[in-house]
């Protein structure tokens, strides 16, 4: 076996084993981690990899036993035990890798001593990569095991920038007789009389004596492509590769972003592998979302996410009904919640009966369904700070693991295998922690360690292309004609200052050498230059100002390039191009090619249409209409036609209701319960009863109010409802009105076989036994409903007509504002004067409604539906509410408003 070894060659290199004619079986190009794997296989030392989360859990358990509140890590451990354990374990691994032994090297300062104490207190900690390396070194020191490696050829010239363990590995292999050779890298010749900009910049960068007569010619051999947005630069990159890309082209792409891959595919070109991960894959969300639903206060938004996952352990028939229930009442355990479960269970039972299943099988299926409902929906909730019992977490993990495994058997997919592995890994981590409960923060950190960034996107794999894509310039170790560096932006190395100078000095005194920040920076800097060193004909650097809408800085190597240009009395602008020219000009000459843009034939968006043609005599009132449908027809006949006659409905996207709808439903429920329980009687403590009902119903109907960030709103709404219900009691007392019905449905013939139906919030009797209608509303601006009454409320006018027995019958009607307790009532002798509102006659409003409906009906019958929002008729008494309409893009009114 022959190995070509380099620090950066664990990732895809150029050239690789198959690039040149000398490729042969037994030749491997790899980095040091790959070399460790090879040696372990040869020595029979391959062991199952222990998940990092399990090792962190073990360390956290040990630290918890040692922590007496006075340790150097005590404060951080108390705040965030998981991340503290993770950081200490990572530092321990770095020490072990460098050759530190806590038994042989006591002392070193508070942090090294703390790590030594943790390490020595439990010898059963699972081992990681650093331990594997040290075990391998012990075997190599014995010098009797045969090594099936004929020769190792080193790519890196300067081994001083390697990590200490890498140098140690090379030395041990030499002691064991492995032959090492230095690869003579063939760099393109730098001419004394350079002819291209690339050759001149190389000379200015690397020659000891730079000629004074160097000038930039702008021959496109060295270019900087600057753009504001990355997609503009990406379009230029793809255009260039489409024309020039060949087997002598290397693309350095460390970002591997989805945008670039999609743009490659859009232009019909092969894309490189996308290394981005997504933690939002449905199968991976099942475990964390399920655990999120166990915390108190209830996270109803998380429950909605769980119910609407495309892939879920719960049957779709159940989740769709429950999602719809909480889209109306965002809570758990309310009437709609239980009704949805009961309806779904009944449908399942009917299906089982239709399948002629016997009673035993049906009972077994019912039990399995109930277990699913219990584990994912109807369960106990736990305080976030006190923690979730480990037994509960383990039970959830086993259910998720079983589901993912069964799905993977039916529908083989790596994502299900990963979900299965993640659930089992969490179980192992819990066992390693060995605690009764795990709080929300800690559980979130553990899941973060297990799931990480998620799963790779399976549809973005490397595709065969003439050019080669590598992730970093260090993986380039041979000549190539063209080097293109995508997103030539700053990518700083983090955590360079992990150790203090005193700690490094202590370790150095024991011949333990940690890689210094200076070594890391030098190593990186040397590899950056590979992109220039190995390029024979052309270098193109792509520098967007923004990446994913975030401002970014240019790569540090640009400063060295600028310095070289300064030696030539030139500047960056002379070799910089703007790729936006490809959009601004019909023909652009760049790099020996004329890029021509061909205009796409397009059609202008149609102007908004006010008069829409519909089939004559086909669009008529339905057999049953309501106040809402009449108001829709009067405000915009086209909307009524779309919604009710054409049944063109908006997308069926389920979400939690907005605040006004949620609080309105909650207020209605409390008011109805108070009336049902006859709370509005003399001597009743209305505020106390309202508060009691509020606390009972909020988890069932408005669970978002329970979240910590909504506590001020929770208290405000509670206080507002207490005051408004007290005001409602005052109104009933002052007017002597008695409520006889809540949420009652009434019908009455309208005209020509059409029946009007109305659902009345509250119906009551006055002292003279006249009917009275109260409509309860929740609004942040109660005065809006006062204005509605002043203008002649369509809804209340129709309700008044609905309940009247003849044309002379006048029924008192009023708006009751749940948010403020205000009443806005028509003038009537049996309603106290302070609640009266000067308004149009509601009888006149009904006549106006009839007149306008007849006009609209005639127009629809003749085949014309008017979009009133396109060109407002100021004389019309009914105005459209276009801002809240689902059809404004169809009629075009949005374009008018824009």
């Amino acid at each position: 076996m022959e190995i070509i070894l380099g620090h950066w060659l664990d990732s895809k290199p150029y050239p690789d084993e198959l690039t040149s004619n000398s490729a042969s079986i037994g030749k491997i190009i790899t980095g040091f981690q790959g070399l460790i794997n090879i040696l372990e296989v040869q020595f029979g030392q391959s062991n199952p990899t222990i998940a990092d989360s399990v090792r962190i859990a073990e360390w956290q358990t040990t630290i918890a036993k040692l922590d007496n509140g006075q340790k150097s890590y005590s404060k951080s451990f108390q705040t965030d035990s998981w991340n503290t354990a993770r950081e200490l374990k990572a530092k321990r691994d770095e020490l072990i890798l460098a050759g530190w032994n806590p038994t042989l090297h006591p002392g070193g300062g508070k942090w090294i001593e703390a790590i030594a104490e943790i390490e020595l207190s439990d010898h059963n900690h699972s081992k990681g990569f650093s331990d594997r390396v040290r075990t391998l070194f012990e075997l190599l020191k014995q010098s009797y095991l045969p090594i099936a490696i004929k020769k190792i050829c080193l790519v890196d010239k300067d081994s001083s920038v390697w990590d200490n363990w890498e140098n140690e590995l090379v030395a041990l292999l030499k002691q064991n007789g492995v032959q090492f050779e230095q690869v003579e890298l063939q760099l393109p010749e730098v001419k004394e009389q350079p002819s291209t900009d690339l050759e001149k910049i190389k000379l200015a960068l690397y020659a000891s004596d730079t000629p004074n007569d160097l000038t930039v010619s702008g021959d496109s051999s060295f270019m900087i492509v600057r753009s504001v947005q990355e997609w503009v630069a990406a379009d230029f990159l793809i255009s260039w590769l489409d024309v020039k890309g060949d087997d002598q082209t290397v693309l350095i792409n460390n970002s591997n972003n989805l945008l670039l891959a999609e743009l490659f595919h859009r232009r019909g070109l092969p894309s490189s592998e996308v290394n981005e991960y997504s933690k939002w894959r449905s199968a991976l969300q099942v475990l964390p979302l399920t655990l999120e639903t166990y915390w108190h206060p209830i996270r109803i938004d998380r429950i909605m996410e769980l119910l609407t996952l495309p892939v879920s352990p719960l049957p779709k028939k159940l989740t769709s009904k429950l999602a719809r229930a909480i889209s109306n009442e965002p809570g758990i355990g309310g009437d709609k919640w239980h009704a949805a479960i009961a309806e779904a269970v009944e449908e399942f039972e009917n299906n089982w009966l239709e399948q002629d299943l016997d009673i035993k099988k049906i009972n077994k299926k019912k039990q399995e369904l109930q277990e699913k409902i219990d584990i994912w929906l109807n369960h106990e909730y736990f305080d976030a700070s006190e923690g979730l019992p480990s037994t509960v977490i383990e039970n959830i993990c086993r259910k998720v693991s079983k589901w993912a495994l069964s799905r993977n058997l039916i529908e083989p997919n790596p994502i299900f295998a990963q979900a299965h592995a993640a659930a089992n890994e969490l179980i192992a981590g819990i066992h390693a922690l060995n605690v009764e409960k795990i709080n929300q923060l800690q559980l979130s950190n553990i899941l973060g360690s297990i799931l990480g960034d998620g799963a790779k996107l399976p549809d973005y794999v490397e595709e065969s292309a003439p050019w080669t894509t590598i992730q970093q310039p260090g993986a380039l170790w041979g000549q190539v004609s063209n080097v293109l560096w995508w997103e030539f932006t700053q990518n700083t190395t983090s955590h360079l200052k992990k150790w203090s100078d005193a700690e490094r000095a202590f370790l150095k005194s024991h011949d333990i050498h940690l890689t210094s920040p200076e070594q890391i920076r030098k190593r990186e800097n040397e590899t950056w230059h590979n992109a220039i060193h190995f390029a024979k004909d052309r270098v193109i650097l792509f520098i967007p100002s923004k990446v994913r809408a975030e401002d970014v800085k240019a790569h540090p190597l640009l400063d060295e390039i600028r310095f070289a240009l300064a030696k030539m009395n030139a500047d960056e602008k002379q070799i910089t191009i703007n790729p936006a020219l490809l959009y601004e000009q019909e023909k652009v000459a760049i790099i020996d090619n004329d890029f021509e843009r061909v205009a796409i034939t397009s059609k202008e968006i149609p102007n908004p249409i006010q008069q829409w043609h519909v089939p004559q005599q086909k669009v008529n009132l339905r057999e049953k209409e309501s106040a809402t449908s009449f108001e829709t027809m009067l405000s915009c006949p086209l909307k009524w036609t779309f919604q009710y006659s054409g049944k063109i409905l908006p997308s069926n996207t389920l979400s939690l209701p907005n605040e006004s709808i949620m609080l309105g439903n909650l207020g209605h429920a409390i008011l109805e319960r108070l009336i049902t329980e006859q709370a509005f009687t003399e001597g009743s403590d209305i505020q106390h009863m309202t508060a009691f009902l509020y606390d009972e119903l909020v988890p069932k109907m408005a669970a978002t109010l329970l979240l910590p960030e909504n506590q001020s709103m929770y208290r405000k709404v509670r206080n507002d409802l207490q005051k408004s219900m007290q005001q409602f009691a005052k109104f009933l007392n002052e007017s002597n009105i008695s409520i006889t019905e809540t949420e009652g449905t009434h019908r009455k013939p309208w005209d020509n076989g059409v029946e009007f139906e109305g659902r009345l919030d509250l119906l009551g009797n006055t002292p003279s036994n006249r009917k009275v209608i109260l409509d309860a509303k929740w609004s942040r601006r109660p005065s809006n409903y006062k204005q509605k009454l002043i203008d002649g409320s369509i809804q209340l006018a129709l309700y008044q007509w609905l309940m009247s027995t003849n044309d002379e019958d006048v029924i008192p009607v009023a708006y009751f504002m749940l948010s403020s307790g205000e009443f806005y009532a028509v003038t009537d002798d049996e309603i106290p004067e302070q609640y009266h509102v000067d308004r149009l006659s509601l009888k006149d409003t009904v006549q106006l409604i009839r007149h306008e409906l007849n006009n609209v009906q005639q127009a629809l019958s003749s085949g014309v539906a008017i979009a009133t929002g396109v060109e407002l008729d100021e004389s019309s008494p009914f105005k459209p509410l276009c801002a809240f309409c689902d059809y404004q893009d169809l009629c075009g009114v949005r374009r008018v408003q824009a």
Side-chain angles (χ1 to χ4, degrees):
M1 178 186 296
E2 181 178 328
I3 293 175
I4 297 174
L5 180 67
H7 179 86
W8 300 96
L9 299 186
D10 279 311
S11 62
K12 182 180 178 180
Y14 181 89
D16 61 17
E17 294 93 335
L18 302 177
T19 299
S20 66
N21 295 326
S22 61
S24 61
I25 296 174
K27 180 188 288 185
I28 297 175
I29 301 175
T30 186
F32 283 93
Q33 292 198 22
L35 179 58
I36 291 294
N37 293 334
I38 292 170
L39 291 170
E40 283 183 326
V41 171
Q42 290 193 7
F43 292 167
Q45 292 296 307
S46 297
N47 293 307
T49 302
I50 304 298
D52 202 47
S53 59
V54 174
R55 298 187 63 222
I56 297 170
E58 293 172 348
W59 267 64
Q60 180 177 319
T61 302
T62 303
I63 294 170
K65 293 177 182 177
L66 296 173
D67 186 20
N68 58 7
Q70 304 300 317
K71 304 291 184 180
S72 54
Y73 49 74
S74 292
K75 287 185 179 180
S76 62
F77 189 75
Q78 184 178 3
T79 304
D80 188 351
S81 56
W82 182 265
N83 281 326
T84 301
R86 173 163 52 188
E87 183 64 24
L88 289 173
K89 181 198 71 67
K91 297 183 82 167
R92 172 265 180 197
D93 286 346
E94 187 177 356
L95 289 171
I96 293 293
L97 196 56
W100 173 77
N101 186 317
T103 304
L104 302 177
H105 310 122
K110 62 178 183 179
W111 287 111
I112 295 179
E113 291 168 10
I115 293 170
E117 183 185 21
I118 300 166
E119 175 74 4
L120 293 173
S121 63
D122 190 345
H123 294 286
N124 294 320
H125 286 159
S126 299
K127 307 304 181 183
F129 177 76
S130 59
D131 302 283
R132 290 166 47 201
V133 171
R134 300 318 301 184
T135 299
L136 190 62
F137 284 4
E138 291 303 315
L139 291 173
L140 289 171
K141 288 175 182 177
Q142 296 173 15
S143 302
Y144 67 85
L145 292 174
I147 301 176
I149 298 174
K150 178 181 178 182
K151 181 172 61 177
I152 295 179
C153 302
L154 298 177
V155 169
D156 305 322
K157 286 186 176 181
D158 186 4
S159 62
S160 66
V161 296
W162 286 350
D163 292 330
N164 183 61
W165 71 270
E166 294 172 336
N167 279 300
E168 190 175 352
L169 175 60
V170 169
L172 286 170
L173 290 173
K174 286 180 178 179
Q175 291 177 15
N176 280 266
V178 177
Q179 180 183 351
F180 280 81
E181 289 184 3
Q182 185 68 47
V183 176
E184 292 297 328
L185 299 176
Q186 299 297 318
L187 296 175
E189 182 183 357
V190 180
K191 302 174 184 177
E192 293 183 4
Q193 297 297 323
S195 57
T196 67
D197 287 347
L198 174 59
E199 292 173 345
K200 294 171 186 177
I201 289 174
K202 283 186 179 183
L203 201 62
L205 274 172
Y206 308 123
S208 55
D209 296 321
T210 305
N212 297 325
D213 58 348
L214 294 179
T215 57
V216 171
S217 62
D219 61 3
S220 301
S221 62
F222 198 108
M223 287 197 310
I224 295 173
V225 179
R226 276 193 176 272
S227 64
V228 176
Q229 300 292 347
E230 56 183 330
W231 64 268
V232 179
D235 198 18
F236 177 85
L237 166 68
I238 295 167
S239 297
W240 191 93
L241 287 172
D242 192 16
V243 176
K244 294 282 192 177
D246 56 19
D247 60 358
Q248 279 295 301
T249 299
V250 166
L251 172 63
I252 302 172
N253 178 16
N254 193 32
S255 62
N256 270 309
N257 57 59
L258 280 173
L259 170 69
L260 194 58
E262 287 293 345
L263 290 175
F264 268 109
H265 289 158
R266 186 177 297 180
R267 297 280 293 276
L269 295 181
S271 171
S272 57
E273 182 181 15
V274 174
N275 287 331
E276 291 185 358
Y277 287 71
S278 172
K279 59 183 176 182
W280 306 118
R281 301 288 300 279
S282 297
L284 296 184
Q285 283 292 292
V286 170
L287 180 59
L289 281 178
T290 302
L291 291 168
E292 280 284 321
T293 65
Y294 272 73
W295 297 117
H296 180 77
I298 299 169
R299 288 296 304 269
I300 196 67
D301 54 336
R302 293 291 184 263
I303 293 175
M304 176 63 97
E305 288 180 41
L306 179 63
L307 292 173
T308 53
L309 283 176
V311 176
S312 170
L314 292 166
K316 201 70 177 176
K317 193 177 296 183
L318 175 64
T319 57
S320 60
K321 287 179 170 56
L322 285 173
R324 190 164 297 282
I326 64 175
S327 71
N328 294 310
E329 290 184 357
I332 301 297
D335 293 339
K336 292 189 176 181
W337 175 267
H338 288 303
I341 293 177
E343 184 182 348
V345 170
E346 184 179 356
E347 286 188 20
F348 278 115
E349 290 178 350
N350 291 336
N351 288 340
W352 297 331
L353 290 172
E354 290 175 3
Q355 296 170 18
D356 293 329
L357 298 180
D358 58 39
I359 296 299
K360 285 186 177 180
K361 288 184 178 179
I362 290 177
N363 289 336
K364 182 180 180 182
K365 284 184 173 293
K366 284 174 66 175
Q367 183 180 352
E368 290 173 350
L369 179 60
Q370 189 59 50
E371 286 178 358
K372 288 182 178 179
I373 293 172
D374 290 341
I375 193 76
W376 272 285
L377 301 172
N378 289 341
H379 49 68
E380 188 179 355
Y381 298 91
F382 299 88
D383 184 82
S385 56
E386 289 184 6
L388 194 59
S390 297
T391 53
V392 173
I393 299 174
E394 185 172 348
N395 187 35
I396 294 169
C397 289
R398 294 195 186 284
K399 295 291 183 182
V400 172
S401 174
K402 181 180 178 181
W403 162 77
L405 183 60
S406 61
R407 279 299 298 263
N408 194 46
L409 293 174
I410 299 170
E411 181 186 342
N413 190 323
I415 197 68
F416 294 122
Q418 188 169 346
H420 169 73
N424 290 332
E425 189 175 327
L426 180 54
I427 293 174
I430 292 169
H431 288 171
L433 279 175
N434 193 28
V435 293
E436 291 185 4
K437 292 184 177 182
I438 301 175
N439 65 37
Q440 187 178 26
L441 174 62
Q442 187 174 34
L443 186 57
S444 176
N445 288 334
I446 296 172
L447 281 170
S449 297
I450 293 172
L451 296 175
D453 294 328
K456 284 186 70 172
L457 301 173
D459 296 331
Y460 297 92
V461 297
E462 185 173 12
E463 298 166 340
S464 177
W467 56 87
T468 301
T469 301
I470 61 175
Q471 292 182 4
Q472 50 202 357
L476 178 61
W477 60 284
Q479 293 186 43
V480 68
S481 295
N482 307 302
V483 174
L484 286 68
W485 193 333
W486 172 248
E487 282 192 15
F488 186 67
T489 54
Q490 191 174 51
N491 185 14
T492 57
T493 304
S494 59
H495 303 299
L496 291 182
K497 193 67 175 175
K498 285 183 180 180
W499 304 96
S500 68
D501 293 339
E503 289 168 332
R504 287 184 179 275
F506 165 80
L507 293 169
K508 189 176 181 180
S509 67
H510 290 84
D511 200 26
I512 301 168
H513 302 278
L514 298 175
T515 307
S516 67
E518 293 76 21
Q519 283 177 283
I520 295 173
R521 290 193 181 98
K522 183 180 179 184
R523 182 167 66 203
E524 288 181 342
N525 181 268
E526 286 181 357
T527 59
W528 297 340
H529 289 271
N530 286 11
I532 300 174
H533 276 308
F534 290 107
K536 292 189 291 186
D537 301 325
R538 181 170 288 109
V539 170
I540 307 177
L541 309 175
F542 294 83
I543 311 178
S545 300
K546 293 180 180 292
V547 173
R548 295 175 177 86
E550 297 288 337
D551 292 332
V552 293
K553 296 180 179 180
H555 196 281
L557 180 58
L558 183 62
D559 290 331
E560 298 185 52
I561 295 169
R562 287 170 176 162
F563 180 73
L565 290 169
K567 289 182 179 181
M568 303 158 62
N569 295 316
D571 61 26
E572 179 188 341
K573 292 180 181 179
Q574 293 176 257
I575 58 172
T576 299
I577 66 165
N578 177 12
L581 293 175
L582 293 171
Y583 303 101
E584 297 170 1
Q585 300 177 17
E586 184 177 345
K587 290 185 178 180
V588 181
I590 300 176
I591 321 178
D592 306 327
N593 279 92
D594 290 330
F595 289 90
E596 183 175 351
R597 292 291 181 184
V598 179
I600 297 174
T601 304
S602 61
K603 290 184 178 181
E604 292 187 1
I605 297 175
N607 291 325
I609 302 172
Q610 185 186 30
Q611 294 191 4
W612 289 64
H613 296 292
V614 297
Q616 294 183 10
Q617 306 299 325
K618 293 293 184 181
V619 181
N620 302 305
L621 289 177
R622 301 167 299 161
E623 292 182 0
K624 187 182 294 182
E625 297 291 350
S626 65
T628 301
S629 66
F630 274 168
E631 191 164 4
T632 300
M633 177 175 274
L634 291 168
S635 64
C636 183
L638 181 65
K639 178 182 178 181
W640 186 92
T641 303
F642 283 152
Q643 183 173 349
Y644 295 107
S645 184
K647 292 183 172 54
I648 300 173
L649 302 177
S651 61
N652 190 25
T653 302
L654 292 173
S655 61
L656 299 181
N658 63 44
E659 180 186 308
S660 294
I661 294 175
M662 179 182 71
L663 298 181
N665 291 339
L666 176 63
H668 273 88
I670 292 174
L671 179 59
E672 186 177 352
R673 283 278 296 274
L674 290 172
I675 293 169
T676 304
E677 297 174 11
Q678 300 182 347
F680 294 109
T681 57
E682 189 175 351
S684 297
D685 189 344
I686 295 297
Q687 291 200 6
H688 176 75
M689 296 179 71
T690 300
F692 177 81
L693 290 173
Y694 180 83
D695 294 340
E696 176 191 336
L697 293 176
V698 162
K700 300 176 181 179
M701 301 184 67
T704 54
L705 292 175
L706 297 172
L707 298 176
E709 61 267 28
N710 291 335
Q711 287 306 292
S712 60
M713 181 185 289
Y714 178 91
R715 291 189 294 270
K716 182 181 184 304
V717 173
R718 191 175 194 262
N719 187 53
D720 288 345
L721 284 171
Q722 285 179 298
K723 290 179 180 178
S724 66
M725 296 306 164
Q726 187 70 49
Q727 186 63 28
F728 188 85
K730 179 184 176 184
F731 172 81
L732 295 182
N733 181 57
E734 291 176 346
S735 59
N736 287 321
I737 288 174
S738 59
I739 303 300
T740 59
E741 185 182 79
T742 62
E743 299 293 335
T745 301
H746 297 266
R747 300 175 182 85
K748 186 176 181 179
W750 176 259
D751 196 12
N752 296 327
V754 177
E755 186 177 53
F756 180 84
E757 180 179 277
R759 186 177 179 86
L760 309 182
D761 287 349
L762 301 170
L763 186 64
N765 287 333
T766 66
S768 63
N769 207 32
R770 294 165 63 210
K771 288 185 175 64
V772 60
I773 300 170
L774 302 178
D775 196 52
K777 300 290 186 184
W778 181 281
S779 175
R780 288 183 174 181
R781 298 179 179 86
S783 60
N784 287 350
Y785 283 91
K786 181 179 181 180
Q787 188 62 47
K788 269 182 175 286
L789 199 53
I790 292 172
D791 296 338
S793 167
I794 294 175
Q795 183 185 29
L796 291 188
L798 289 170
Y799 285 171
Q800 187 185 71
W801 167 84
L802 174 65
M803 299 310 298
S804 63
T805 56
N806 55 63
D807 292 341
E808 302 302 320
D809 193 9
V810 177
I811 295 176
V813 293
Y815 282 124
F816 167 54
M817 308 311 300
L818 290 162
S819 56
S820 62
E822 295 172 274
F823 277 87
Y824 304 124
V826 299
T827 302
D828 192 276
D829 292 340
E830 293 194 86
I831 293 182
E833 186 176 350
Q834 65 265 30
Y835 304 117
H836 291 178
V837 173
D838 293 332
R839 79 306 178 243
L840 294 174
S841 166
L842 293 185
K843 282 193 172 184
D844 292 343
T845 301
V846 173
Q847 293 304 316
L848 182 60
I849 291 170
R850 285 188 178 277
H851 178 266
E852 292 296 323
L853 282 175
N854 285 333
N855 291 339
V856 173
Q857 284 180 267
Q858 290 176 12
L860 290 173
S861 295
S862 65
V864 177
I866 304 296
T868 52
V870 172
E871 188 175 335
L872 290 175
D873 182 358
E874 296 299 333
S875 64
S876 175
F878 305 111
K879 307 298 181 188
L881 297 175
C882 295
F884 305 100
C885 179
D886 294 316
Y887 305 95
Q888 54 183 307
D889 287 319
L890 283 178
C891 73
V893 72
R894 191 195 295 270
R895 298 194 293 278
V896 174
Q897 295 171 344

